[in-house]
Amino acid sequence: EADIYQTPRYLVIGTGKKITLECSQTMGHDKMYWYQQDPGMELHLIHYSYGVNSTEKGDLSSESTVSRIRTEHFPLTLESARPSHTSQYLCASSEEGGKTDEQYFGPGTRLTVT
Amino acid sequence: KNQVEQSPQSLIILEGKNCTLQCNYTVSPFSNLRWYKQDTGRGPVSLTIMTFSENTKSNGRYTATLDADTKQSSLHITASQLSDSASYICVVSDRGSTLGRLYFGRGTQLTVWP
């Protein structure tokens, strides 16, 4: 089982609130990722990081922001939540230079914005 | 356009029966193909990873095949169990970028009935 953790697991919040989704991994992986997944749909990459102080936007445009101050920590922040942000958010990590670049996923955060 | 298509979209089988899930892809240049199992409300967990030179790989009751010429893969589940009920996601990685971009299918939702 992968050592990657996400909190909270479920979050229901009102429109306009600021939220931070936490993601931590204890595997020492340099690469970390945030995906967004709607029910029955494929995962979409919204942010990724190659290492400390490195952050990039993914393929799916997102109003969220991320930071990578420590190797093990990759939080995602929404400054003002909206109902359109309702989704499942999955964090993943992989080892730099790994043969297959296998990504290990956290359990996800189910976000509902009312 | 790089795409991953999975079929069927959903499948119901009786416990103890076998089943085969299909994945067709157009991703190029190809690096590897992975099958993930995603339980409801959880993050995906890797079942198998196959590179270009591998055409079959097993993980317990799960056997994946890859035909890189026709760009097709299958996941065969033997003697299904109730705990096999989940979404099975086909993911193809390219090496066209440093990131090793992943392309996700929408998954096949498998339900195993007693």
Side-chain angles (χ1 to χ4, degrees):
Chain A
E1 184 133 340
D3 295 321
I4 180 164
Y5 310 97
Q6 290 185 244
T7 58
R9 291 294 318 283
Y10 304 93
L11 179 62
V12 180
I13 200 163
T15 297
K17 300 292 185 181
K18 177 180 178 179
I19 59 171
T20 296
L21 307 184
E22 302 288 349
C23 175
S24 295
Q25 51 95 5
T26 58
M27 297 173 282
H29 288 168
D30 286 317
K31 294 182 181 178
M32 295 190 74
Y33 315 80
W34 275 103
Y35 292 90
Q36 187 174 339
Q37 184 183 31
D38 293 321
M41 302 296 287
E42 64 267 49
L43 278 72
H44 291 284
L45 182 67
I46 52 175
H47 298 283
Y48 61 95
S49 168
Y50 286 122
V52 172
N53 294 325
S54 153
T55 61
E56 303 286 345
K57 289 190 178 294
D59 305 311
L60 182 67
S61 175
S62 174
E63 294 166 345
S64 58
T65 59
V66 293
S67 63
R68 190 88 183 275
I69 299 173
R70 303 198 315 264
T71 298
E72 63 271 21
H73 196 214
F74 192 40
L76 180 146
T77 298
L78 275 166
E79 290 293 333
S80 179
R82 295 208 301 266
S84 61
H85 297 139
T86 294
S87 189
Q88 170 147 298
Y89 293 84
L90 290 160
C91 180
S93 70
S94 67
E95 183 179 1
E96 175 69 31
K99 182 181 177 183
T100 56
D101 208 26
E102 179 172 1
Q103 293 187 17
Y104 297 89
F105 287 85
T109 293
R110 170 70 63 185
L111 172 66
T112 302
V113 183
T114 61
Chain B
K1 182 180 178 183
N2 290 323
Q3 285 185 311
V4 177
E5 302 286 344
Q6 292 188 244
S7 62
Q9 184 176 354
S10 62
L11 180 63
I12 299 174
I13 62 173
L14 294 177
E15 187 178 14
K17 298 296 185 182
N18 304 334
C19 67
T20 301
L21 314 180
Q22 301 290 343
C23 173
N24 297 332
Y25 63 92
T26 59
V27 177
S28 181
F30 174 86
S31 176
N32 58 69
L33 184 145
R34 314 136 188 248
W35 283 94
Y36 283 91
K37 178 186 179 187
Q38 185 176 22
D39 292 314
T40 301
R42 309 287 299 183
V45 175
S46 179
L47 294 174
T48 63
I49 297 179
M50 289 182 291
T51 59
F52 186 88
S53 59
E54 297 172 300
N55 54 26
T56 187
K57 183 166 279 190
S58 292
N59 178 0
R61 294 180 296 103
Y62 302 102
T63 299
T65 65
L66 173 64
D67 185 333
D69 292 331
T70 61
K71 297 187 177 180
Q72 295 179 325
S73 176
S74 66
L75 180 69
H76 186 74
I77 303 175
T78 304
S80 61
Q81 300 175 357
L82 298 179
S83 58
D84 292 332
S85 294
S87 178
Y88 291 84
I89 304 172
C90 178
V91 184
V92 181
S93 173
D94 75 7
R95 277 302 181 190
S97 66
T98 306
L99 180 64
R101 171 80 162 82
L102 295 185
Y103 296 86
F104 290 82
R106 292 188 176 185
T108 291
Q109 184 64 48
L110 174 66
T111 303
V112 180
W113 282 2

